Amino acid sequence: FAFNEDTVTIYDVTDKSAPVMVSRTAYDGAIYTHQGWVTRDMKYLIHDDEVDELCATGTGISLCDGLPPTNHTQTRTFMWDITDLENPVNTGHFDHPEVSIDHNLYFWGAIHEKGWGGNAPLDSDKLPEHKYAYLSNYVSGLRILDTTNVENAELEQVAYFDVAPDLNGVLEFYGTWSNYMHPSGTIAVSTKDRGVFFLAFDEGFPNRPEGNAQCAVKEKVPSSNDGKDLAFAGFVSSIVAVGLIGFALGYCYSVQRAAVPATPDHYIGEKKGMTSL
């Protein structure tokens, strides 16, 4: 699956030396088709367009020139039915409550289960819930979507972790760029400007195996990162991430269901389904 700026393109790579294009499909609202992921059953795909929010009026950046305005600044996630690879269908889109650019998103699935991504295969009795998608949406942080009804073109935002509460509603390329779901059940959320966050989403990984990150909770201290006081949750943790990335200094929180939409004054650690580990 390829995301070629203005199309979703599917290739048959059975012969790695001679890939064959299976389909190339345009869709309404395309500005910069960026990245996506398929559901565990390989029937549906969701993806992001990294620049469409900037082209709400058709004049945000040079990529908008000559294109019709998208008429939205809220994050938009697109859905596809890919049961027929030669004729994939864009079934709809989901507009998030937040104003933010989106970047990378992922599902738990066969890559983790079977050990195709470099990790060992997961134990069959410790598999995560596969209905959730994990989206790194720049300044609005990690957003978690329930895709149970994706076949009906419906998504629901059920949890979040805001990495940039000082930039709410800002359409800029700051905040989280990507995230990695480690087989331990720990989610590593990277940012462009304020470090790495290690999270746990209890509903997404109810049978977390032993060896996940352990957090030592301390008093809140100001951050010197870029001269900004992050003031995220009232807790700053030193984390030893067993089986993750070795040793790291960062923040550790448990992410559970959050009220949606989030109130404008929310910040990391506000007691809306988020508790420290």
Side-chain angles (χ1 to χ4, degrees):
F1 295 88
F3 304 90
N4 294 345
E5 295 196 1
D6 58 0
T7 66
V8 171
T9 306
I10 301 173
Y11 292 92
D12 182 340
V13 293
T14 302
D15 183 348
K16 303 298 187 293
S17 64
V20 177
M21 184 187 296
V22 176
S23 61
R24 181 180 176 89
T25 310
Y27 61 96
D28 290 339
I31 303 293
Y32 190 81
T33 312
H34 176 255
Q35 186 266 356
W37 212 256
V38 298
T39 55
R40 180 172 179 261
D41 59 13
M42 305 290 184
K43 293 182 178 180
Y44 303 96
L45 174 149
I46 69 173
H47 82 87
D48 65 81
D49 187 303
E50 191 177 1
V51 181
D52 56 340
E53 294 84 10
L54 287 168
C55 296
T57 63
T59 58
I61 57 175
S62 60
L63 282 173
C64 308
D65 294 345
L67 298 174
T70 60
N71 299 315
H72 72 92
T73 56
Q74 293 169 282
T75 308
R76 177 166 291 180
T77 301
F78 295 86
M79 292 167 277
W80 294 74
D81 182 328
I82 56 171
T83 51
D84 182 351
L85 296 178
E86 295 182 354
N87 297 285
V89 177
N90 176 209
T91 57
H93 61 262
F94 170 74
D95 285 339
H96 296 242
E98 304 79 33
V99 172
S100 180
I101 305 167
D102 43 355
H103 200 243
N104 291 339
L105 62 89
Y106 307 97
F107 286 93
W108 286 101
I111 290 177
H112 287 92
E113 284 185 30
K114 300 181 182 297
W116 294 341
N119 58 277
L122 298 182
D123 293 338
S124 60
D125 61 341
K126 295 181 179 179
L127 296 179
E129 290 284 347
H130 297 95
K131 64 182 181 180
Y132 297 114
Y134 299 79
L135 290 72
S136 281
N137 289 351
Y138 281 108
V139 301
S140 68
L142 180 72
R143 300 284 157 169
I144 300 177
L145 301 181
D146 186 335
T147 67
T148 300
N149 294 315
V150 67
E151 63 181 312
N152 298 316
E154 295 178 1
L155 301 174
E156 178 188 6
Q157 187 182 121
V158 295
Y160 63 85
F161 187 87
D162 188 347
V163 301
D166 54 319
L167 296 175
N168 285 344
V170 176
L171 291 173
E172 294 285 354
F173 297 98
Y174 299 116
T176 177
W177 194 83
S178 194
N179 66 85
Y180 176 68
M181 296 104 71
H182 190 266
S184 66
T186 297
I187 306 166
V189 179
S190 66
T191 71
K192 296 182 66 176
D193 54 340
R194 51 194 76 199
V196 179
F197 298 84
F198 297 90
L199 314 176
F201 177 48
D202 293 339
E203 290 188 27
F205 212 128
N207 299 309
R208 288 164 57 80
E210 296 179 1
N212 54 295
Q214 302 298 312
C215 303
V217 179
K218 299 180 180 180
E219 292 291 329
K220 182 185 76 173
V221 297
S223 169
S224 59
N225 188 13
D226 292 337
K228 300 176 182 177
D229 182 358
L230 302 185
F232 283 136
F235 300 104
V236 174
S237 303
S238 295
I239 303 174
V240 177
V242 179
L244 190 51
I245 306 178
F247 177 76
L249 292 178
Y251 306 86
C252 193
Y253 299 94
S254 173
V255 183
Q256 301 171 342
R257 279 191 179 271
V260 177
T263 57
D265 61 348
H266 80 282
Y267 60 97
I268 292 177
E270 183 181 28
K271 300 303 180 181
K272 287 190 176 181
M274 296 185 179
T275 56
S276 67
L277 291 176

